Amino acid sequence: MEHVPPPAEELALLDRELAQLDARRAQLLTRRAWLVAALQPKAPDAPRWSTPPLGHGWAPAQPWGAAPKAAKPSAPRSAQNVLLTLGGLLLTVAAVAFTLVSWGSMGIGGRAAVLALVTVAALAAPALLLRRKLAATAEALAALALVLTLLDAYAIHAVATPDADGLTFTAIASAVLAALWAAYGLALGKLHLPLPAAVFFVQWPLLLGAWAAGAPALVVGWALLATAVVDGAIVLWGKGLGVRVTAGIGLLVMGSAALLTGLGESLTADSPLGAVLPGLLLLTAAVAALAGAWRAPSGYAQLGGAVAGLAAVAAVGGVLRAAVPGAWHVPVYLLCGLALLSVVRARLPRTAGRGVLLASGAVVAGALVWALPGVAAVLLGPVQLVAEVWAGAPDGFRGALGEAMAWSELAAAPLVLAVVAGGLGAAYRRWPTLVRLAAPLAAPGVKARDAAGAGALALGWGAVLLAAATLGVPYPVAVALETVLVAGLLAVAVLGAGRGAGVAGAGSGAAGAGAAGADATGAGSSEAAGGSEPYVGTAGAGVGSGGTAGRGGPSAVAVTALVLAVGGAVSLGLLSLAAEAATYAVLGALTVLFAGAALRTRPVVEQAVLAVAAVVWGTALTGCVAGSLGLAPHEAAPLLLVVPAVTVLLGARLRNHPVALPVELAGGLGALVAIGLAVPRAPFLALVLALCGVLAAGAAVRPERRPVAGYLAAVLFVTATWVRLAASEVSAPEAYTLPVTVPALVIGVLRRRKDPEASSWTAYGPGLGATLLPSLAMAWGDPDWPRPLLLGVAALVITLLGAKYRLQAPLLLGGAVLALVTLHELAPYVVQVAGALPRWLPPALAGLLLLAVGATYEQRLRDARKLKDMLGRMR
């Protein structure tokens, strides 16, 4: 038998063995670390390996790595920068304090000697520090020297030349400081501060010199432009990020100021001759920007091209603007902006050419922004006629739009819209040619073509409307013109939706198929012209444009035409409200036009929109008939149900067609309007509700509408009954509702016997609601006790039956009615008890309730889920 030691002795043995294992593991880890270090390559002067110390279990002759000396922790660079910054700031503050406070206690010689000595020392110290590789300290002293040179300039002006003009002296001092710091920065190339400081000082000599000389604004603009040109040269050829960023900021500020100065002078010129000099400034700026864009990177080149284009438009347009009346200023600039499109034939870098095209687009967009408010006034102006329906035809089109707009100032707006629309239309029709011409600069796709066509259609439509308003055509002519425009837009929408988007581009597919290869694109490089960005010539450029033949659905032009037709029809309908005859003619024409377009178009969405619009115009026409008959609003309500009745019959005719539902819903909106008109008179409201119930019941005959229309018909009939009873001042509705409830419950029982899975809401809900809900409404206003008592007992019985037979409708309806009746009966006593209690008690009880619910939240949540599951299992 083996000896088994006691537990205490065995535990001691295990502890000793574990300690030995830990010691052995430490030895192995130490040896592994030495081997890893020994396998790494060593420098020639690295220490030789020595034997390991005794006591590690290794042979004495085995080499051991000497422990490396711990390096002294060096201060982080951030701490060093903070210290240097604080030191420089302190020295700067001391210098400023000396100059402003202690300067007056010294003579002129002492002042000059001290400042000169300190400045020279500050300028010389960075050179010595750079030799010792103390770059951060050298930068700090260079910053101090920069401040000292500024103080030197201030001291010279205050002592040596106190009578000199401040602006003139500052301009000269800036030039001297720029030269000094440029030379200093070039001499000490490792410093980052001097050259950006020189660039900063370069910004001021010309500007301040022109300002000091009292030069006119145009001369100041030239000074700003010259400074911007110098900044641009530094940006392109300067060395160092700080230099280029500083010059870039100066270029942005000075260039913008120069352009704004030239633009302001051009806009305020009284004659073409007076606009020539500002135009020359702007043209020079355009040439400078284009020259910079030729060599700049892609993003900046595009910005330079855009600036050049805008400056050229402002220059030429300013001269032409002064020669035409004020209403024609915008068209002049628009024509100049369109002239920029000729850049597609110029040998410009690709990105710079894109920038010029963007400038052209910006000018066109600005012109449209100026002209479009007039179109909005034409469309929205007839809204004022709603307040004076059939007051008589106004004197002219402007009379129907109001006199708020200055139409004489918008005389050229139709021309602007027409020119842009014509350009977009030409691009749409001759798309392959446009793509071939634009190939060196851009590659417009099919979406761009669709956008061009849609824009041409919209702007052309707006140009015609605005022209009619500015010319002041007679009112009948305006109504006829807008009707013709709506008909034309509907024709475009129907044709475009029917033929598809690819029909318009079918002719361009063959034209682009033979030129799909780019074997003669004339690719070259702008290096021959002094640049580094490749450009593409226009000789023989081949572009494939297959149109959109493979794409289904209506084109953007068709969708735009549909939207414009609907918007124009709304404006036309409002415009026709001035005269009764015009209203009938317009609404009848719109109904026929939209109905005919709905019959001719094929896409479902467009067909649905057109059909719904036709229903809306038909409803409006029915309302006008009621107005002509002199009917009051509540009397006109039944007449408005004619269109919903037609839509129900049309829905039955269309059956499962996708357009059937939108048409019926549009008719339902007309029924809602009729109900709203009948609300003030209860008897008419009951009649309208009953008629709506008949229409809903007619729709429920169809199986696909039965789930919704059946319930809606029941609700409408019941509501009509209640309204009729209320209008007749019936005080005992149970006499009318119980005869309905009993047969309804009998039918429900028979339904449940035939179909046990039928819902209790379907079987018993209508019958129970027919009596319980009207009785509940009467009970809340009944001061006596018999009705609440009988209703409460009936609700209790219904609730118990629902719980016994697990029927959801009786349980919930009966329980809700019972709770409300109980609340109504106990409410006076609750109010009395609440009035007798202290004011602090209700909040305290509410707080305790919340605490209790919070403490048992999980249990309450489980109870709620159980209740939900239990109700869900009921029928």
Side-chain angles (χ1 to χ4, degrees):
M1 296 178 62
E2 296 181 357
H3 172 68
V4 178
E9 184 179 354
E10 185 178 2
L11 180 60
L13 290 173
L14 292 176
D15 289 339
R16 284 195 296 271
E17 290 181 1
L18 289 174
Q20 293 175 2
L21 290 175
D22 290 338
R24 181 60 176 168
R25 184 175 184 275
Q27 292 175 0
L28 294 174
L29 290 175
T30 304
R31 179 61 179 172
R32 181 183 182 279
W34 179 86
L35 291 173
V36 171
L39 292 175
Q40 294 179 353
K42 296 295 180 182
D45 56 348
R48 297 181 60 86
W49 300 108
S50 62
T51 58
L54 298 177
H56 287 272
W58 305 109
Q62 192 172 10
W64 188 260
K69 295 182 179 179
K72 295 182 179 179
S74 59
R77 294 301 300 273
S78 59
Q80 180 186 11
N81 293 336
V82 170
L83 293 176
L84 291 174
T85 304
L86 290 177
L89 287 176
L90 290 176
L91 289 175
T92 304
V93 171
V96 173
F98 166 75
T99 304
L100 298 178
V101 178
S102 301
W103 185 261
S105 62
M106 300 178 64
I108 184 62
R111 302 171 186 175
V114 170
L115 268 181
L117 180 62
V118 174
T119 303
V120 170
L123 290 171
L128 300 176
L129 292 172
L130 288 175
R131 293 179 182 178
R132 296 180 177 272
K133 298 182 179 181
L134 298 175
T137 308
E139 290 286 354
L141 288 180
L144 175 62
L146 176 61
V147 177
L148 288 175
T149 53
L150 293 174
L151 294 177
D152 287 337
Y154 168 76
I156 292 172
H157 179 264
V159 175
T161 59
D163 298 330
D165 180 63
L167 289 175
T168 304
F169 182 84
T170 305
I172 297 173
S174 299
V176 173
L177 289 174
L180 171 65
W181 282 98
Y184 187 74
L186 294 175
L188 300 178
K190 294 184 179 180
L191 293 178
H192 298 89
L193 179 63
L195 290 179
V199 175
F200 173 77
F201 288 126
V202 165
Q203 311 301 315
W204 309 110
L206 294 177
L207 175 61
L208 296 179
W211 195 359
L218 200 59
V219 176
V220 175
W222 281 105
L224 291 169
L225 179 59
T227 305
V229 170
V230 173
D231 289 330
I234 296 174
V235 170
L236 291 176
W237 292 293
K239 300 292 182 64
L241 180 62
V243 173
R244 302 179 74 171
V245 169
T246 306
I249 295 174
L251 173 62
L252 178 63
V253 175
M254 297 299 177
S256 301
L259 290 174
L260 291 176
T261 302
L263 180 62
E265 292 296 314
S266 177
L267 292 176
T268 55
D270 297 331
S271 62
L273 185 61
V276 170
L277 292 180
L280 183 60
L281 172 63
L282 292 171
L283 280 179
T284 306
V287 172
L290 196 59
W294 203 284
R295 292 183 175 274
S298 59
Y300 297 102
Q302 189 166 341
L303 178 61
V307 172
L310 292 175
V313 169
V316 179
V319 176
L320 299 177
R321 177 204 62 84
V324 298
W328 297 89
H329 290 173
V330 174
V332 166
Y333 285 105
L334 174 62
L335 294 178
C336 294
L338 293 175
L340 292 178
L341 296 176
S342 61
V343 72
V344 298
R345 294 184 175 275
R347 295 172 62 86
L348 288 178
R350 186 180 182 89
T351 51
R354 285 181 178 178
V356 177
L357 291 180
L358 288 177
S360 176
V363 174
V364 173
L368 292 179
V369 169
W370 173 78
L372 288 179
V375 180
V378 173
L379 293 176
L380 301 178
V383 174
Q384 64 175 348
L385 298 176
V386 175
E388 299 178 358
V389 178
W390 297 348
D395 296 336
F397 193 15
R398 293 183 185 179
L401 302 179
E403 301 297 334
M405 292 293 295
W407 297 105
S408 59
E409 298 179 2
L410 295 175
L415 177 62
V416 170
L417 297 176
V419 168
V420 180
L424 293 176
Y428 180 76
R429 297 292 299 176
R430 302 179 61 85
W431 190 252
T433 304
L434 176 64
V435 172
R436 185 172 62 254
L437 291 175
L441 301 180
V446 176
K447 291 184 178 180
R449 181 179 187 270
D450 291 344
L457 181 64
L459 294 177
W461 171 71
V464 174
L465 289 179
L466 192 55
T470 53
L471 294 175
V473 300
Y475 175 76
V477 175
V479 173
L481 176 63
E482 290 202 31
T483 305
V484 172
L485 287 177
V486 171
L489 291 171
L490 288 176
V492 173
V494 171
L495 293 176
R499 296 169 60 188
V503 175
S508 62
D519 49 40
T521 56
S525 174
S526 61
E527 292 178 356
S532 60
E533 182 178 348
Y535 67 89
V536 182
T538 59
V543 180
S545 176
T548 58
R551 187 180 63 187
S555 64
V557 177
V559 174
T560 303
L562 179 60
V563 173
L564 295 178
V566 173
V570 173
S571 178
L572 175 60
L574 295 173
L575 182 65
S576 67
L577 295 178
E580 184 175 3
T583 302
Y584 280 106
V586 167
L587 293 180
L590 291 178
T591 304
V592 174
L593 287 174
F594 278 87
L599 293 175
R600 294 297 301 273
T601 193
R602 283 180 287 180
V604 175
V605 176
E606 286 73 13
Q607 192 176 27
V609 171
L610 292 170
V612 169
V615 172
V616 171
W617 304 133
T619 304
L621 185 61
T622 306
C624 292
V625 172
S628 298
L629 295 176
L631 301 178
H634 61 276
E635 296 173 340
L639 185 60
L640 290 179
L641 297 179
V642 172
V643 174
V646 174
T647 59
V648 171
L649 296 176
L650 185 60
R653 173 79 176 181
L654 296 174
R655 293 189 177 275
N656 293 325
H657 195 280
V659 180
L661 181 59
V663 169
E664 293 180 78
L665 291 177
L669 292 178
L672 287 178
V673 173
I675 292 173
L677 293 176
V679 166
R681 296 294 181 92
F684 278 92
L685 178 59
L687 174 62
V688 172
L689 289 172
L691 293 176
C692 290
V694 172
L695 295 178
V701 174
R702 296 152 52 196
E704 67 274 11
R705 298 286 185 265
R706 188 170 301 153
V708 176
Y711 287 108
L712 181 60
V715 171
L716 289 173
F717 282 132
V718 172
T719 306
T721 303
W722 294 347
V723 171
R724 179 68 261 182
L725 293 177
S728 301
E729 298 181 355
V730 174
S731 59
E734 293 82 1
Y736 300 91
T737 58
L738 282 177
V740 177
T741 298
V742 173
L745 292 178
V746 172
I747 294 174
V749 172
L750 297 177
R751 170 73 183 277
R752 289 275 297 174
R753 287 182 178 178
K754 183 179 180 180
D755 183 13
E757 297 299 324
S759 173
S760 60
W761 289 100
T762 304
Y764 306 122
L768 294 176
T771 294
L772 291 179
L773 297 181
S775 298
L776 178 63
M778 296 298 297
W780 270 70
D782 193 349
D784 298 329
W785 60 270
R787 177 180 277 116
L789 177 61
L790 294 175
L791 181 60
V793 171
L796 177 60
V797 172
I798 293 172
T799 304
L800 295 176
L801 291 175
K804 178 179 180 181
Y805 294 103
R806 305 181 64 82
L807 298 175
Q808 193 178 102
L811 178 63
L812 294 182
L813 281 175
V817 172
L818 180 61
L820 291 175
V821 171
T822 304
L823 177 62
H824 176 264
E825 295 302 313
L826 295 180
Y829 305 102
V830 172
V831 171
Q832 293 178 3
V833 172
L837 292 176
R839 295 296 178 90
W840 55 266
L841 188 57
L845 294 176
L848 291 175
L849 178 62
L850 292 177
L851 289 176
V853 173
T856 59
Y857 176 75
E858 296 296 335
Q859 181 61 37
R860 301 287 79 79
L861 193 60
R862 286 193 293 269
D863 294 341
R865 289 172 179 170
K866 290 180 180 179
L867 179 60
K868 178 183 176 182
D869 295 339
M870 181 188 68
L871 291 176
R873 288 192 296 267
M874 292 184 178
R875 299 303 300 171

